[in-house]
Each structure stands twice: as C-alpha cells, then as structure tokens.
Amino acid sequence: MQLDLETSRLIMRPMQLSDAPEMVALNSDPDVIRFTGDSAFKDVKEAEKLILNYDQYDRYNMGRLNMFLKSTGDYIGWCGLKYHPDTNETDIGYRLKKCYWGQGYATESARASLTFGFSVLHLEEIIAHAAKENTASINVLEKLGLKYVRDIDLDDDPCVLYKIIKKEWK
C-alpha cells in the first residue's frame, strides 16, 4: 500500500534511515518533547534503530510519516496514524520542529492523515491524546473536529483523550 501523502505544502512519507539525523535534532529540543513523555535520542544510531524496527507500515498499513516542505525539501517533523494492538485503537499524532509551530502544518498534515485513515483504511474511529497543558495541540485536535472524551493519565501525566468517528469526518 502506498503510504506517501501530499498536501498543498507538504510531502509526507515513511521514515528512512537518511532521516535519522533530522529526527535526532527534532527530539533534542526540550520544548518539542516537553509534553510527549519521550526523551531525546542518544545519537543517530538510536534513531536508526527505531527506523529499522518500526513495524507499523508493514503490519498495519499506517504509521508516523516524516514531513517535508514541498517548497524547499526541508524536514519539519512527523505526523500520522499509529495502531495500538493492546487496545485495538488507532491514534493520530504529530511533532514539529519549533520553528514551524503556529503555521498550520500540524493541522494540514493531521487532516491528510485522518482522510487516509477514514477513506483508504476505512477506520471507524481515530483517537488522540494530549497533555492537559498542551493547549496548542488540543486546539489542533478541536479544529480537526475531534471531540473531548475524558481526562486520562498517561505515564502519570494528566492528559486528555479526544476522538472522531468516521461519520463525523468531513
């Protein structure tokens, strides 16, 4: 299945080993990973290991896709769907370099990912988690039409759960 997505400003594609240095730079910014529960990669080798062991594309025909500006080819972050077999849920997630915050890229890429999930994968619902304090991410979810479900704790951090069902997607 073709996992490459395109928007008016972005190319989104599966992770490649050549992306590892950019992924390290992304996760090295404490502001970027502040609400994620993730830590920075130790080095490029650790990012390469993640890429080599990432099984979402082959197993579930979905996954986090690296994003590049059409106009320059610059790496700006990632966005995409992730299947959680333990809960039988699919979530939408995104992470962008700080210099690209507030420019609509999270909304644009997430919209493309949701369309792929509902139109190509025929998912019935897609969820999202966000830290309660991450109002920018919550605003993106609400702009996309996801609805608040409830407060949750993820790794002992106060978060919110959002959801959208297929018939609500426009």
Side-chain angles (χ1 to χ4, degrees), residues 97-158:
K97 288 183 174 180
K98 193 168 28 182
C99 61
Y100 297 105
W101 290 1
Q103 299 177 47
Y105 294 118
T107 303
E108 184 175 329
S109 58
R111 184 172 282 118
S113 296
L114 290 168
T115 297
F116 178 79
F118 290 127
S119 301
V120 177
L121 298 177
H122 306 290
L123 299 174
E124 291 301 317
E125 70 177 36
I126 297 173
I127 64 164
H129 309 107
K132 268 188 166 180
E133 295 177 33
N134 192 348
T135 55
S137 188
I138 291 168
N139 288 340
V140 169
L141 298 176
E142 291 177 349
K143 193 182 308 181
L144 292 164
L146 280 83
K147 305 284 189 267
Y148 170 82
V149 176
R150 68 180 178 276
D151 290 357
I152 59 172
D153 279 334
L154 287 178
D155 303 319
D156 295 325
D157 292 323

Side-chain angles (χ1 to χ4, degrees), residues 1-7 9-23 50-51 54 56-57 61-70 73-81 93 95 109 112-113 116:
M1 177 177 289
Q2 179 66 277
L3 294 177
D4 295 52
L5 303 179
E6 190 172 324
T7 71
R9 301 182 294 167
L10 301 170
I11 299 290
M12 301 167 62
R13 62 152 174 78
M15 294 179 272
Q16 299 175 359
L17 283 176
S18 59
D19 300 333
E22 291 287 2
M23 293 170 64
L50 171 109
I51 294 166
Y54 193 76
Q56 289 278 313
Y57 308 135
N61 294 316
M62 67 177 77
R64 307 301 198 207
L65 303 175
N66 278 335
M67 299 186 295
F68 301 85
L69 293 179
K70 277 184 179 179
D74 291 345
Y75 174 86
I76 70 165
W78 58 258
C79 179
L81 303 173
R95 187 172 303 170
S109 58
S113 296
F116 178 79

